[in-house]
Each structure stands twice: as C-alpha cells, then as structure tokens.
Amino acid sequence: MRERQKPVVAEPAESVSGLSSEFLESFKAAMDLCQTDEVQRQAETLHPADLADLLEALPSEKREDLVDLLRQDLNPAMIAELDEAVLERVVNQLSAQEMADAVAEMETDDAVDVVEELGEKDRRDVLDALPIGERTLIEEGLSYPEDSAGRLMQRNVMALPAHWNVGQAIDFMREEEDLPRDFFDVFLVNPTHKPIGSIPLSRVIRTERRVALSDLMLEDMKIIPGTLDQEEVAFVFRQRDLVSAPVVDAGGRLIGVITVDDIVDVIHEEHEEDIMRLGGVGEEDDLYSAVIATTRSRFFWLLIHLLAAIVASYVISFFAGTIEEMVALAVLMPIVATMGGTASVQALTVAVRAIAMRELTVSNALRAVCKEIIVGMLNGLLFALLIGAVAWSWFGSPALGGVIGMAIVINLTVAGFSGSALPVLLQRLGFDPAVASSAFLTSITDVVGFYVFLGLAAFLLL
Amino acid sequence: MRERQKPVVAEPAESVSGLSSEFLESFKAAMDLCQTDEVQRQAETLHPADLADLLEALPSEKREDLVDLLRQDLNPAMIAELDEAVLERVVNQLSAQEMADAVAEMETDDAVDVVEELGEKDRRDVLDALPIGERTLIEEGLSYPEDSAGRLMQRNVMALPAHWNVGQAIDFMREEEDLPRDFFDVFLVNPTHKPIGSIPLSRVIRTERRVALSDLMLEDMKIIPGTLDQEEVAFVFRQRDLVSAPVVDAGGRLIGVITVDDIVDVIHEEHEEDIMRLGGVGEEDDLYSAVIATTRSRFFWLLIHLLAAIVASYVISFFAGTIEEMVALAVLMPIVATMGGTASVQALTVAVRAIAMRELTVSNALRAVCKEIIVGMLNGLLFALLIGAVAWSWFGSPALGGVIGMAIVINLTVAGFSGSALPVLLQRLGFDPAVASSAFLTSITDVVGFYVFLGLAAFLLL
C-alpha cells in the first residue's frame, strides 16, 4: 500500500534513492556508543521503507537491539516493508500480541502479505490475537490460493452506484469516513454489486457536478477474478497500463481492488524467481538467509548437476582406450562441452524470457525452435572453422581439426534445439520453464559433445 | 502512458490476460482467405495493446499485410506498445510523414520512447516531419541521457500554486483544457515553479472546497532530477509505492512528471537486461530478431567462452603425460569443473540479485563474500565425500577418491569466493555485475578445477 500520510521534514539521512552509506556508518557508530536517544530520534525521522532497509542492512545483533529500542511503537508500515528473511527474525523477537497490534493497523493487502509469510504457529497465534473483524478479512484473503489476486487485494474499494452523478459522488467521498486511504479509479456497480465500469479519478474531478457517472464510465475494463494467478494479474496491469483494477468473487461481485504498487512488487518477485531458478538457487536463498540454510538449499541443485556430470563421465569412460592412444582428445574435449553448454543457455535464456513476456506460445513454438536450430548450426559452422584451425595448428593434425569441427557443428545444433524446445515442453507440461532446464541442458550438451567428439575420433582417427 | 479513453464493447477476442490462441488462429485464417473487411473489423475492436501483441505474434509477411490494411488510420497508441524489433520493421513500411502523424498524437513520454528506438536516419526524417511544437518537446526529451528520468517523463504536469484552495483547484481542473489525460497527484509549486509538495488526487476530491491546498500537502515528496538514471527512479517508485513523481531540471524547476506505468516498463527492461546478461545474450536478442542478427549477437559471447575454454585446455595439456598414465583422470575431470561452475553461478546469481535490490553494498560486501566462502567450503566437504566415494568404487582407488575430494573442496571454495567477489568488484568499477561475470567465473573454476585435480594427481598418485 502507499504510505505517505506522515509529512516529514528534510531527510539528510538519504540520497534520492535509498539510505546513504554515510548515514549507515554514522547510525552504526551511534549504536556502538549506545546513544539511544540519538538512535531513536534518527530512526523516527526515517520513512518506514527506509527504516525497513536500515533494519535489513544491520548485522543481526544490532538489528535486535534496534527492534528492542523501537518496540514501544513499531511502525506497522515498516513491518510490511521488510524482506521475508528479516521479517521472520523480527517476528521471533516480538510477542504475538505486539504483531497482532501492528497487523491490525495495516490495510488488508499488507496484513495478508505479512501474515502469509509467517510460519504456521506464528500465523495462528497472531490471528488469534487479532480483533474478530480484521481477523475475518485476513482469513478471507488467506482462503485464496497463494500468489492469487485474492491475496493481493485491498478490501476497501471505492464503489458507487451507476445511477449517481458527479456531484453525488463528490459529496459521498467528502462525507464517508471509511474509504481507502488513497484511490485512483472509481468503480461503478449495479444493484447486485457487480462492477460495470470504471472512471479514473482525474476525470471525475474535471467534470461538472450534474454529469451522470455513467456518461464518464469506461466499459472496457479488466475485471480480475480473485483466483487469478498474480503473474497473470501483473501481465494485465503492464499490458493495459493500469493503476488499479477491480477484483470479483466467483459470483462476479466486487470484493476488492488491486493497486499498481502491489503489482510492482509482484513483477519483482516473478523476475527474481526466474533469475534464481535460471541460476540454480532457491527462492529463499538471499543475502539474509543463514549459512546452513543457504548450504542446504544449494546442495540439492549441485547434486542434480553432479548426477548430470557423472553421466557425462560415464560417456567418456567408453572411450578410455581412445584417449590413452591420443591424449589430445582429453585436452580438447572440454572445449566441445563448453561451447555446447554456452549456446544452449543462450537459447534457454531467450526462450524463458519470451515465455514470461507471453511472446512464445504454442502457436509460434515451432518457428522459434527452427530459428534456434539454424542459429546453432550457423554459429556451429563458424566455430568449427575457428576451433578446427586451432586444433590443427596446436596438434599438427588436420584430421583432428576436422573431427572437432564436426563435433562442434553437431553440438551447437543440438544446443539450439534443446535450449529452445525444452523450456517450451516444460511450460506445456505445467512446469516452470526456468527450473531445472539449465542442469538438463548442460547435461545434454556435455553428453552429446563428449560422445560425438570422442566417437568420431575413435571412428575416424584411430 | 495510460490508454483507456476508448470504451469498447465486449471482446470475445481475448482471455483475461492477452489474446487467446483461438482468436489468433481464426484471425490468421481470415487473413489467409483475404477476408479484408472481417480482418479490419476484428483488428479495430482490439485494444491498442492487444493489437500490438497481435502484430508481434504474426509471421512477418502477414504482419506487413495487416499494416498495409490498417495504415489509413494506424492507432498511435498501438505503435507505442510495439516491441523494439517489430517497431523497426513497421517503421520501415511507413513513410516518415505517416510516422510523424502518429508520433504527434502521442503523449510526450510515449513519443520520446518511440523516436529514441528509431535508427539515426529514420529519427531525423520523422522529427523533420513533425510540427515544431511537438518536435521541440521531443528533442528536449532526447537531450536527456539515454535511460534517464528526462526520457521517461510526460511534459504535461498537473501543477498548481501553493496558495490556492481546493475549490480553486477543482474549478481550474474543470475549466482548463490542456491537462494531462489522466493524473494521480497534484503538485504544488512556488512562484519560481519549484515543486514544494504533492497531494494525492483522492485527498483533493475528499476535502471541502474552502480548505487550503497547503494544508493537504505532503512535503515528504521524492523529487526526481531529469538526469537521474531510470534504474534509480524505479527504485524510488518501488520503495515508496509511488504512482507519480515530479521531475525537475538542473535549476530545480518542475518540468514534467513520471507515472508508474512507465516505471513498470523500466522494471521489466532492467530485469530483462539482468537475465539476458547472465545468460550471455545481447539485449536486442529476442524472439523477433532475425536469424543473422541473432547469430551475430551470440557469436561474440561464444567467442569469449571459447577463449576461456582454450585456457582451460592449455592447463590440461600440461598434464597430458599424467592423463596418459591414468586415463581415469580424463574421465573424472569434467565433474570437478562442472561442480565448480555450478557453485560459482549460484553465488553470482544471489550477488547480482542483491546488488540490483540494493541489498549488497560496499558496507556489507565483506560479510557476503565470507558467507559464500563458508557455504562453498561446506558444500565442498559434503560433495568431496560423495564424489570421493564414487571415484573410489568406480576405479577401485581410495587415493584417487581422496584426490578428487580435495580438488572439489578447493574448487567450491574458490567458486564461492569468486562468484560473490567478482560481481561486487565489477559493480565497484562501474561495470554491470551481470555482464561477463559468468564467462569469467566458469573460466576460473574450470582452470582451478583442472589444475588442482590433475596437479594433485600428478603429485600424489604417480
């Protein structure tokens, strides 16, 4: 949610974007000297988002000290801004009642966001400590699937009857207390509370009081089902340049609104997921997670790569005799594998990105795969000449140059095919195309590379 | 910019997000049958963003036919939504005057965005064909550095004198014609046109007419210099949950406004850049670029990897004699290299993400690198046991198991160190940490892996 209600005077603490490292250093120094008044004063002048960044940047002992110092009136907006790993540690320091008090002050979307990140037990304790009204709203939000529109929505919506005019709308907005803190669109509803159109707020304010709202209404409005996946929601917002969108329940009734600030966070999360998966690390693996947790989360992925590498080694072992006769093969074989692996990761990256952007679909997959095969073959031919020449001049054997050249062409063509076809296939089968692809791919290009290179050598050179 | 002014009736053409593949198929079929009326009718009912997606999804000959069919009244908003590679081809089909007519109808931020993507000659021709007023505004936008706030801003700003009250503001907004199409915040300026505060529009509309605007004003406002990098701007928007922010010139005067829909696009671009660079492909390498352009853009990166692979081969060649005596080394050596490469890419991914999120800075770099070294060592020990056991049982040599175990521990520790320290170093030196890191890194772990494994084997086993 937007958080701007508290005007603060000039903040020398920060540069235009984020906390300055000078501020961080002086703040840490003040903590070291136990200047608690100064520390408290500085922390209180910070914007909640900056305070959250400050907590994240501090080493864990200092972070605990600061939370203790501020726990009397911990800003709920700050808690909503914390990174998941840091939030977990801050929550451990607070009582369930303290957390519940903070959560009760948040808007529903932030509250659901914080509560869903808590562990099973913490979640129960905090929910139990909440007033029944807030608790019900949060539990309703949590009843929607993880990463769905229902989890992102703010329950308080600016909805008006479609038969009102601008004057009635403005009078209502001035008189009614219980409205969203900030809103950008007015949604018009019919008597069964189904949304029938939207009006950007700037058009309401620019129009004479006597004009009917229905005359301003845009019917071409995207209506978001509460169960829609957040990735789809983000796509709609980005494609239509939306600032807010209405959310409906299974019966089509308006139950909430999603605002663009939450979508900005979703886009970040989804991209991070892609990057982390392509890089073979877990989503929870970040700067703030502990050494043991990090080691464990990486172990699994390394194990997959180990199994793939063992398969490649097994292939090499078929040709142990060939290598003994011609050790140049052992020297050159990593080149074939490296080039194939690189080319397949290139094709994979483009495919994963295109799938995320909705550019690569079933209808053009064949075209995309064919293109990658041709690109692989062309670069294969270019590098065959280059590497063939290197091998020839290095080991003085034109035949060896020819063999490695052929292996390169074949391996880069296979790389283009598998790097584009595998993510499409995974997507089709309902898996995330970024996950596991790179391990499978380098395994394919290693095996093909070693097999083709050593096999051709055994057949043609010996 | 937001584009919602045209109410359209129900669009069976699309699912909630994007075009359905059924629609695509039926549209293509209509084109094949040359049902031009039907094609035109269907295209005209589409939202501009959907029409842009449709053009992107069509094969190039069909795309050209469709542009010819629609060229009488090509929707400027559709052009603004096109992907760079497709835009280039559409521009080639249109005359400079046709492009200028479309650009003149766009808001300044969209117009700058389209014009900056044109080639040098096209850009000049289109600018020359523009009315002088639009041309000046666009050239002013282009005078700001690429990827800066000045390129993103919309020139038409909702700015009001700070001494007005709500009633005056509402009357002005109702009477003035030349206002931004949609706006979300009102900016208050002093007599020298410097921004002194902002008010969310919903607070203006909810307040009695007699209240002074200065009483509603939030002073804690982020002011964006026109020269600020777009990545910094995006950080500010995300961190503060902003919907719009004022842009000032070097003298601090208000010259424009950036809205969140442009920021959503920036966040996408920046993330894509990261993914593409980590994957070793150029930014312009997407589904729509031609085979030759793609081959060329990948060639460079493959060449870097080839040079790295040749260095690794050179290291292996030192130990040719060792391998001849013990061919098991050639069989096992790719395992050491693969594990090191995987571990270093894991550390790199986490570091690149943390740098992008502003979590990893100079002040905590040492801590992050130390953590990665420990994680590398711990996983190194675990995999040393595992791989050592495999090597022992496979080749019946406990000593060989011990040697490969030692090599794994050393290589994974080096991987943790270099995977985290290299991106921090590149960032410090002013380079993008994602670019080139993965080629350097796998080169480091290949060289270290082969050297340590074969060197230890030569020293201890023979």
Side-chain angles (χ1 to χ4, degrees):
Chain A
M1 271 306 307
R2 305 178 87 199
E3 172 52 50
R4 304 202 298 193
Q5 79 283 27
K6 203 174 125 215
V8 196
V9 274
E11 295 162 314
E14 39 157 13
S15 52
V16 183
S17 60
L19 298 165
S20 66
S21 50
E22 293 77 37
F23 173 77
L24 263 179
E25 291 314 315
S26 84
F27 190 88
K28 278 191 211 163
M31 287 199 75
D32 286 337
L33 297 170
C34 296
Q35 301 169 327
T36 51
D37 286 355
E38 175 63 11
V39 166
Q40 231 161 345
R41 194 192 60 72
Q42 288 200 2
E44 272 160 18
T45 60
L46 288 178
H47 187 282
D50 290 327
L51 185 54
D53 285 352
L54 175 62
L55 276 182
E56 289 169 3
L58 291 175
S60 48
E61 329 77 61
K62 282 218 176 60
R63 187 192 303 141
E64 282 174 26
D65 292 347
L66 185 57
V67 171
D68 272 336
L69 215 58
L70 302 175
R71 73 190 306 157
Q72 309 314 337
D73 53 352
L74 219 49
N75 192 329
M78 185 278 288
I79 295 180
E81 297 281 348
L82 286 174
D83 170 277
E84 190 173 340
V86 175
L87 174 67
E88 205 172 294
R89 303 203 198 169
V90 170
V91 170
N92 285 338
Q93 236 183 304
L94 300 177
S95 71
Q97 190 57 55
E98 282 172 311
M99 269 305 287
D101 291 346
V103 167
E105 278 185 55
M106 298 176 191
E107 305 238 7
T108 29
D109 56 344
D110 285 343
V112 169
D113 199 34
V114 166
V115 171
E116 76 179 353
E117 285 182 13
L118 301 179
E120 195 55 50
K121 191 186 167 307
D122 284 337
R123 186 188 293 189
R124 200 73 340 254
D125 292 346
V126 170
L127 284 173
D128 286 344
L130 277 171
I132 184 77
E134 271 80 11
R135 181 177 157 174
T136 309
L137 283 180
I138 294 172
E139 282 178 340
E140 276 177 30
L142 290 174
S143 74
Y144 282 92
E146 212 172 319
D147 296 338
S148 71
R151 294 260 177 128
L152 293 175
M153 70 185 169
Q154 156 69 15
R155 296 299 296 267
N156 210 340
V157 195
M158 190 62 237
L160 297 176
H163 61 270
W164 280 15
N165 66 21
V166 170
Q168 286 172 297
I170 292 180
D171 292 342
F172 173 79
M173 289 190 251
R174 286 193 182 144
E175 283 152 26
E176 176 65 32
E177 291 288 315
D178 192 26
L179 289 186
R181 194 190 294 139
D182 289 312
F183 51 94
F184 317 103
D185 295 284
V186 168
F187 300 108
L188 300 187
V189 290
N190 68 13
T192 61
H193 216 65
K194 291 185 181 166
I196 55 171
S198 69
I199 317 175
L201 200 56
S202 58
R203 297 188 197 185
V204 176
I205 207 170
R206 295 192 59 190
T207 308
E208 299 294 334
R209 292 180 61 92
R210 62 190 154 67
V211 176
L213 290 179
S214 54
D215 289 346
L216 297 177
M217 184 173 81
L218 308 178
E219 291 170 56
D220 175 24
M221 169 183 61
K222 288 289 188 181
I223 297 174
I224 313 282
T227 49
L228 195 68
D229 186 82
Q230 63 177 15
E231 206 168 340
E232 306 275 322
V233 181
F235 179 80
V236 173
F237 266 76
R238 188 166 64 80
Q239 208 229 15
R240 290 292 171 100
D241 294 336
L242 300 181
V243 173
S244 70
V247 182
V248 295
D249 64 14
R253 280 174 301 272
L254 183 65
I255 50 167
V257 60
I258 294 179
T259 49
V260 68
D261 54 302
D262 294 317
I263 295 305
V264 166
D265 293 337
V266 167
I267 292 176
H268 253 281
E269 272 175 40
E270 298 285 343
H271 277 286
E272 263 183 35
E273 247 180 55
D274 277 350
I275 287 196
M276 303 298 259
R277 285 178 179 174
L278 282 172
V281 289
E283 286 152 53
E284 67 295 340
D285 185 348
D286 75 6
L287 207 63
Y288 308 128
S289 44
V291 167
I292 297 299
T294 306
T295 305
R296 201 187 310 127
S297 89
R298 304 235 179 121
F299 180 86
F300 172 74
W301 197 243
L302 284 165
L303 188 63
I304 301 275
H305 274 270
L306 173 61
L307 297 178
I310 288 176
V311 173
S313 291
Y314 190 63
V315 169
I316 298 173
S317 72
F318 296 159
F319 301 98
T322 316
I323 292 172
E324 266 173 329
E325 283 186 59
M326 192 172 190
V327 76
L329 298 176
V331 172
L332 292 175
M333 67 185 189
I335 295 182
V336 182
T338 296
M339 297 305 285
T342 305
S344 71
V345 168
Q346 289 179 330
L348 168 71
T349 305
V350 171
V352 165
R353 180 199 151 280
I355 290 172
M357 299 289 284
R358 312 290 173 93
E359 292 175 355
L360 183 55
T361 56
V362 181
S363 65
N364 61 355
L366 191 64
R367 191 148 51 100
V369 172
C370 287
K371 176 181 151 185
E372 288 295 345
I373 291 175
I374 299 171
V375 169
M377 211 180 302
L378 288 177
N379 265 326
L381 289 168
L382 291 171
F383 280 100
L385 293 176
L386 212 61
I387 297 169
V390 169
W392 180 355
S393 66
W394 190 352
F395 295 99
S397 158
L400 182 60
V403 164
I404 197 169
M406 278 190 272
I408 290 280
V409 175
I410 294 172
N411 208 19
L412 260 61
T413 308
V414 169
F417 167 72
S418 53
S420 54
L422 188 64
V424 173
L425 185 72
L426 284 173
Q427 162 86 356
R428 197 70 204 278
L429 297 175
F431 296 105
D432 184 311
V435 78
S437 289
S438 81
F440 288 128
L441 281 178
T442 43
S443 168
I444 291 171
T445 50
D446 278 359
V447 167
V448 170
F450 292 137
Y451 190 84
V452 170
F453 177 52
L454 298 175
L456 284 174
F459 187 69
L460 297 175
L461 300 182
L462 301 178
Chain B
M1 273 306 308
R2 303 176 91 202
E3 170 54 44
R4 303 202 299 189
Q5 80 282 30
K6 201 173 124 219
V8 196
V9 275
E11 293 160 316
E14 36 155 21
S15 53
V16 182
S17 60
L19 298 165
S20 67
S21 50
E22 292 77 35
F23 173 77
L24 263 177
E25 291 314 317
S26 84
F27 190 87
K28 280 191 210 163
M31 288 199 74
D32 286 336
L33 297 171
C34 296
Q35 302 171 325
T36 50
D37 287 354
E38 175 63 13
V39 165
Q40 234 163 340
R41 195 194 59 72
Q42 287 201 2
E44 272 159 18
T45 60
L46 288 178
H47 186 280
D50 289 328
L51 185 55
D53 284 352
L54 175 61
L55 276 181
E56 290 170 2
L58 290 176
S60 48
E61 330 77 60
K62 283 219 175 60
R63 188 191 301 141
E64 283 174 26
D65 292 346
L66 186 57
V67 170
D68 272 336
L69 215 57
L70 302 175
R71 72 190 306 158
Q72 309 314 337
D73 55 351
L74 218 50
N75 191 330
M78 184 277 287
I79 295 181
E81 297 279 348
L82 285 175
D83 170 278
E84 191 173 340
V86 175
L87 174 67
E88 205 172 294
R89 305 204 196 167
V90 170
V91 170
N92 285 339
Q93 235 184 304
L94 300 177
S95 71
Q97 190 58 55
E98 282 173 313
M99 268 306 286
D101 290 345
V103 167
E105 276 186 57
M106 298 176 189
E107 306 237 6
T108 29
D109 56 345
D110 285 343
V112 169
D113 200 33
V114 166
V115 172
E116 75 179 353
E117 284 182 14
L118 300 180
E120 195 55 52
K121 189 182 166 312
D122 284 337
R123 187 189 294 190
R124 196 79 337 258
D125 291 345
V126 171
L127 284 173
D128 286 343
L130 276 172
I132 183 76
E134 272 80 13
R135 182 179 156 171
T136 310
L137 282 180
I138 293 173
E139 283 179 338
E140 276 177 29
L142 290 174
S143 73
Y144 282 93
E146 211 173 320
D147 296 338
S148 70
R151 295 262 179 127
L152 293 176
M153 71 185 168
Q154 155 68 17
R155 295 300 295 268
N156 210 341
V157 196
M158 191 60 238
L160 297 175
H163 62 267
W164 280 14
N165 66 23
V166 170
Q168 286 171 297
I170 292 179
D171 291 342
F172 171 80
M173 290 190 253
R174 286 194 181 144
E175 283 151 27
E176 176 67 31
E177 289 289 312
D178 190 27
L179 291 185
R181 193 189 296 138
D182 288 312
F183 50 93
F184 318 103
D185 295 284
V186 168
F187 300 109
L188 300 187
V189 290
N190 68 13
T192 60
H193 216 65
K194 291 187 180 164
I196 56 171
S198 69
I199 318 176
L201 199 56
S202 58
R203 295 185 199 188
V204 176
I205 207 169
R206 295 194 60 190
T207 307
E208 298 295 334
R209 291 179 62 91
R210 63 191 151 64
V211 176
L213 290 179
S214 54
D215 289 345
L216 295 178
M217 182 174 80
L218 308 178
E219 292 171 56
D220 174 26
M221 167 184 59
K222 287 288 186 180
I223 296 175
I224 313 283
T227 50
L228 194 68
D229 186 82
Q230 64 178 13
E231 203 168 343
E232 307 274 321
V233 180
F235 179 81
V236 174
F237 266 75
R238 191 168 61 82
Q239 207 228 17
R240 290 292 172 99
D241 294 335
L242 300 181
V243 172
S244 71
V247 181
V248 296
D249 63 14
R253 281 175 301 273
L254 183 64
I255 50 168
V257 59
I258 294 180
T259 48
V260 67
D261 54 302
D262 294 317
I263 294 304
V264 166
D265 293 337
V266 167
I267 292 176
H268 254 280
E269 274 176 38
E270 298 285 344
H271 276 285
E272 264 183 33
E273 246 180 56
D274 277 349
I275 286 196
M276 302 299 258
R277 285 177 178 175
L278 282 172
V281 288
E283 286 153 52
E284 66 295 341
D285 184 348
D286 75 6
L287 207 62
Y288 307 128
S289 43
V291 167
I292 298 299
T294 306
T295 305
R296 200 186 311 126
S297 89
R298 304 237 180 122
F299 180 87
F300 172 75
W301 198 242
L302 284 165
L303 188 64
I304 301 274
H305 274 270
L306 173 60
L307 298 178
I310 289 178
V311 173
S313 290
Y314 191 63
V315 170
I316 299 173
S317 71
F318 297 159
F319 300 99
T322 317
I323 292 172
E324 265 172 330
E325 283 189 60
M326 192 171 189
V327 76
L329 298 176
V331 172
L332 292 175
M333 69 188 184
I335 295 182
V336 182
T338 297
M339 297 305 285
T342 305
S344 72
V345 168
Q346 288 179 330
L348 168 70
T349 304
V350 171
V352 165
R353 181 199 151 280
I355 289 172
M357 299 290 284
R358 312 292 173 91
E359 291 175 356
L360 183 55
T361 56
V362 181
S363 66
N364 61 357
L366 189 65
R367 193 148 49 102
V369 172
C370 286
K371 176 181 150 185
E372 287 295 345
I373 291 176
I374 297 172
V375 169
M377 210 179 304
L378 288 177
N379 266 327
L381 289 168
L382 292 171
F383 280 101
L385 293 176
L386 212 58
I387 297 169
V390 169
W392 181 357
S393 66
W394 191 349
F395 295 97
S397 157
L400 181 60
V403 164
I404 197 169
M406 276 190 274
I408 289 281
V409 174
I410 293 171
N411 208 18
L412 261 62
T413 308
V414 169
F417 168 72
S418 53
S420 54
L422 187 64
V424 172
L425 186 71
L426 284 173
Q427 161 85 356
R428 196 73 205 276
L429 297 175
F431 296 104
D432 184 310
V435 78
S437 289
S438 80
F440 288 129
L441 280 178
T442 43
S443 169
I444 291 172
T445 50
D446 278 359
V447 167
V448 170
F450 291 137
Y451 190 85
V452 170
F453 178 52
L454 298 175
L456 283 174
F459 188 70
L460 296 176
L461 299 182
L462 301 177

